[in-house]
Amino acid sequence: MARLASLVLCLSVLMPQLGQAGACREDRVEVITDAGLQAFRVEIADDAAERARGLMYRESMPLSQGMLFVYDRPQQLAFWMRNTLIPLDILFFDETGTLVRAQEMARPLDETPLPGGVSQFVLEINGGLAARMGISEGAKLRHPAVDPALAAAPCDQG
């Protein structure tokens, strides 16, 4: 009975969030795929120091979390895994929030540059999740950092 009560409590906490497709929050990204909507709680890296540190030195990350790198404008980007201890999927999005390149299962500690093409947003999630969740090129990122005038999947304005 205690397990059922815990499940009901968990669902009551999650249900309002699940119904908020289109509603944006700084600490959450939604990735819209052909398979449906995938959501992650994110840390934001939007200045040079935060972007340089990224997810370095972390020994683990919950499956539902990630880091969103935000740049002021689209630019040629490449990431590496220096001092990064966990495998990552590195997802590069253009200024509209459209996924233009996915570097899946980036190897920990590998300093080989992983090109992302011209991008403005980069989402790092646990390695292997993109394939399991159906996140592939053409997927759409929904987050308040994406300019609503350009966004392929804009936030609700209400």
Side-chain angles (χ1 to χ4, degrees):
M1 194 64 168
R3 287 177 124 184
L4 180 59
S6 293
L7 178 62
V8 169
L9 176 61
C10 235
L11 286 174
S12 67
V13 169
L14 290 175
M15 289 305 281
Q17 292 178 355
L18 295 175
Q20 292 180 356
C24 287
R25 296 182 0 203
E26 285 291 324
D27 68 342
R28 174 185 160 104
V29 297
E30 295 176 343
V31 180
I32 301 159
T33 72
D34 291 340
L37 181 121
Q38 308 298 336
F40 299 92
R41 183 167 302 252
V42 291
E43 296 174 55
I44 304 296
D46 60 0
D47 66 35
E50 292 169 340
R51 289 191 295 257
R53 181 157 177 98
L55 291 171
M56 288 181 178
Y57 307 108
R58 300 199 190 181
E59 295 180 4
S60 66
M61 181 170 62
L63 289 178
S64 62
Q65 293 186 7
M67 180 170 278
L68 182 65
F69 296 77
V70 177
Y71 293 84
D72 294 334
R73 58 179 173 68
Q75 55 195 283
Q76 196 70 239
L77 295 175
F79 276 43
W80 61 3
M81 297 289 287
R82 174 181 282 176
N83 299 319
T84 305
L85 307 175
I86 56 176
L88 296 173
D89 289 344
I90 305 172
L91 309 174
F92 295 87
F93 296 85
D94 67 13
E95 70 276 9
T96 72
T98 301
L99 182 59
V100 294
R101 179 156 308 149
Q103 295 284 357
E104 297 184 34
M105 290 301 295
R107 290 190 327 257
L109 306 174
D110 187 349
E111 294 189 16
T112 305
L114 301 169
V118 176
S119 307
Q120 188 169 353
F121 308 97
V122 181
L123 177 62
E124 290 184 341
I125 58 176
N126 280 288
L129 279 183
R132 288 198 324 225
M133 296 180 153
I135 300 172
S136 59
E137 289 182 13
K140 310 295 184 223
L141 177 75
R142 182 179 291 139
H143 187 268
V146 181
D147 182 343
L150 301 174
C155 295
D156 286 344
Q157 299 300 311

